[in-house]
Amino acid sequence: MVPPSPLGPYRPKTLDEALVLLEKFHAVIVDQDKAIAALTKRIEELEKGGKGPPSWVKPNKKKRRKKKKGPPKGHKGAPRSKAADLPVESHLHDGEFCPDCGHDLGPIVEVQRKQDIEVSLHNAVQRLHEFHRRYCPGCQRLVRATTPDVVPRSDYGPNVHGLLAYLKYGLGMTLGKVQDLMSRVYGVQLSTGIISEILMRLAERSEDLYERMRASLPGQAVLHADETGWRVDGRNHWLWCFGNDDVVVYHIDPSRGGKVVQAMLGDRFDGVLCTDFYSAYGAIDSRKQKCLVHLLREVRRVRDEHPEEDDVQAFCSRLIALVRRGFRLRAARGETDEDVYRGRVQLYTRTFFNTYVGARFEHPDCQRLAKRITKF
């Protein structure tokens, strides 16, 4: 498109006037180029959905190449189990008429067999309990028979209590979905208020168990710990988790500080505490294993932010390779002699320490990561 003349219909009569007019045309074209570039940038931002996700959003994982189905090379295959421990039912399926044309069928020619696993969905039942009362000469009063099949002061049995707890806390279903499942599958109409009341009753009855589990944390050999945001009555709190293969304890607290770690584990923890690099876990004296996934994620971020700097690329590539080497070394522990394995661990540890612990690097991100490795 021809830009409009800055002087309207004016036509130059001399060479100097023509040069002045060309300069003004050039200024108009430069302004239009800047406007086009700004619009193009804005279009790209809109196509990407704005200026990108907030800084606290984790980046998308790169697509990995699909692995071939089946066991890894050299590993013995394992067929799918048909649940051999389940009871077996036999069902005969026969018909007198053709399902396609409706014609009468002849005699049986062959029998085909198919095995599957099915679950039965039963509606709830309303039970009537009768309790005998007898006179106790020792207490000198009437006493009633007791049974674990009845929950005191509740209109619902122990199986209902257990099922609701599993659906809510084991599967993480909302109260509305729990309500819908109980109605559709079992024919039991429960309000969300009743479900909450049942769960609260379970929580009260489980307080002693919870306190015993919490008291066992300081004596564990290994504990993994983490925290995440949590809302309580519309206010920000933190959900802390401390656990291993034997015990898992959750604790909700308005604080995210080190005093929570001290309250849960004491001032000193004799086991190994596995966490990310959050400073609150440094409030107690203990051996610590830092999360290598967090370390690798940070290293990859630094590498991707400085693609043109050779020293950063070399630093990150070597660190990633060393961590992966540690993974491979750990995975091979059961396949090698224990003395040989310990020798390899010592060599690996010396290599790691000599490369990063106390070393100085020019780039600030590399120096920061080296300090982190030295500290932990």
Side-chain angles (χ1 to χ4, degrees):
M1 181 177 68
V2 179
S5 170
L7 300 179
Y10 172 75
R11 296 291 183 270
K13 296 179 181 180
T14 65
L15 179 59
D16 292 338
E17 292 178 352
L19 291 176
V20 172
L21 184 62
L22 286 175
E23 290 180 359
K24 293 183 178 181
F25 268 124
H26 178 72
V28 172
I29 293 173
V30 170
D31 291 340
Q32 288 187 342
D33 287 341
K34 291 181 179 179
I36 292 173
L39 289 173
T40 303
K41 182 179 179 180
R42 179 58 179 160
I43 291 173
E44 292 176 352
E45 291 179 353
L46 292 174
E47 289 178 346
K48 292 180 180 179
K51 297 182 179 180
S55 58
W56 47 265
V57 175
K58 294 181 180 179
N60 294 327
K61 292 184 178 180
K62 295 180 179 180
K63 289 186 177 180
R64 296 184 178 181
R65 185 173 56 184
K66 290 185 178 180
K67 294 183 179 180
K68 184 179 179 181
K69 292 183 178 181
K73 186 177 181 181
H75 288 245
K76 185 179 179 181
R80 291 184 178 180
S81 172
K82 284 292 186 179
D85 295 336
L86 295 178
V88 178
E89 295 181 355
S90 297
H91 297 267
L92 176 63
H93 306 281
D94 197 3
E96 299 179 357
F97 307 100
C98 175
D100 297 326
C101 68
H103 199 279
D104 293 344
L105 297 177
I108 299 173
V109 177
E110 65 174 337
V111 176
Q112 294 182 336
R113 290 181 173 84
K114 178 184 181 301
Q115 182 180 351
D116 64 9
I117 297 175
E118 180 61 298
V119 296
S120 59
L121 302 178
H122 296 292
N123 289 333
V125 296
Q126 187 170 349
R127 304 183 301 175
L128 176 61
H129 300 276
E130 294 183 351
F131 295 91
H132 291 176
R133 300 182 69 196
R134 296 174 181 267
Y135 181 78
C136 174
C139 300
Q140 296 184 354
R141 63 184 179 88
L142 290 175
V143 296
R144 193 178 78 167
T146 60
T147 173
D149 294 336
V150 175
V151 178
R153 299 184 302 279
S154 176
D155 295 333
Y156 300 92
N159 288 344
V160 175
H161 283 66
L163 178 60
L164 293 180
Y166 176 68
L167 295 176
K168 181 66 175 72
Y169 301 112
L171 301 182
M173 296 175 62
T174 63
L175 294 180
K177 290 183 178 180
V178 173
Q179 180 187 39
D180 184 66
L181 184 144
M182 294 299 294
S183 174
R184 291 175 180 270
V185 176
Y186 296 102
V188 178
Q189 308 299 325
L190 295 174
S191 67
T192 55
I194 291 178
I195 298 175
S196 298
E197 180 185 343
I198 290 175
L199 296 176
M200 289 298 295
R201 183 182 297 112
L202 281 173
E204 292 173 358
R205 293 174 66 92
S206 303
E207 283 184 359
D208 291 341
L209 173 61
Y210 174 82
E211 291 302 328
R212 291 200 303 270
M213 294 171 62
R214 177 170 172 169
S216 72
L217 292 180
Q220 299 295 321
V222 178
L223 275 179
H224 297 263
D226 200 3
E227 79 292 331
T228 187
W230 199 259
R231 299 279 284 179
V232 177
D233 295 331
R235 295 183 176 272
N236 292 328
H237 285 62
W238 296 93
L239 174 65
W240 294 78
C241 176
F242 300 85
N244 53 29
D245 291 340
D246 299 321
V247 60
V248 178
V249 175
Y250 292 95
H251 172 71
I252 298 174
D253 200 286
S255 173
R256 199 192 179 194
K259 63 181 182 181
V260 179
V261 184
Q262 292 174 326
M264 299 296 289
L265 302 179
D267 293 332
R268 176 179 175 81
F269 177 59
D270 293 330
V272 178
L273 185 60
C274 306
T275 68
D276 57 18
F277 294 94
Y278 181 46
S279 61
Y281 297 107
I284 65 172
D285 180 20
S286 72
R287 290 179 295 165
K288 297 182 177 67
Q289 167 65 55
K290 294 303 178 179
C291 176
L292 294 175
V293 173
H294 281 77
L295 177 63
L296 288 176
R297 187 182 301 150
E298 177 71 8
V299 174
R300 292 192 181 102
R301 185 187 65 80
V302 172
R303 180 192 61 185
D304 295 340
E305 288 181 353
H306 306 281
E308 305 297 331
E309 301 188 44
D310 295 338
D311 57 337
V312 177
Q313 296 296 311
F315 176 94
C316 296
S317 298
R318 180 163 177 76
L319 180 53
I320 292 173
L322 273 173
V323 174
R324 288 177 175 173
R325 177 181 165 189
F327 289 157
R328 292 194 298 270
L329 181 61
R330 179 188 61 184
R333 180 171 189 174
E335 302 174 0
T336 57
D337 182 76
E338 187 65 21
D339 292 336
V340 175
Y341 173 77
R342 291 186 178 277
R344 292 177 180 177
V345 169
Q346 292 177 359
L347 177 61
Y348 172 76
T349 304
R350 285 198 301 269
T351 303
F352 209 107
F353 273 54
N354 293 339
T355 305
Y356 297 105
V357 175
R360 298 289 303 177
F361 297 91
E362 294 294 331
H363 196 277
D365 282 333
C366 297
Q367 184 62 28
R368 175 173 56 83
L369 290 171
K371 284 184 177 180
R372 177 177 293 182
I373 294 172
T374 301
K375 180 179 180 181
F376 295 112

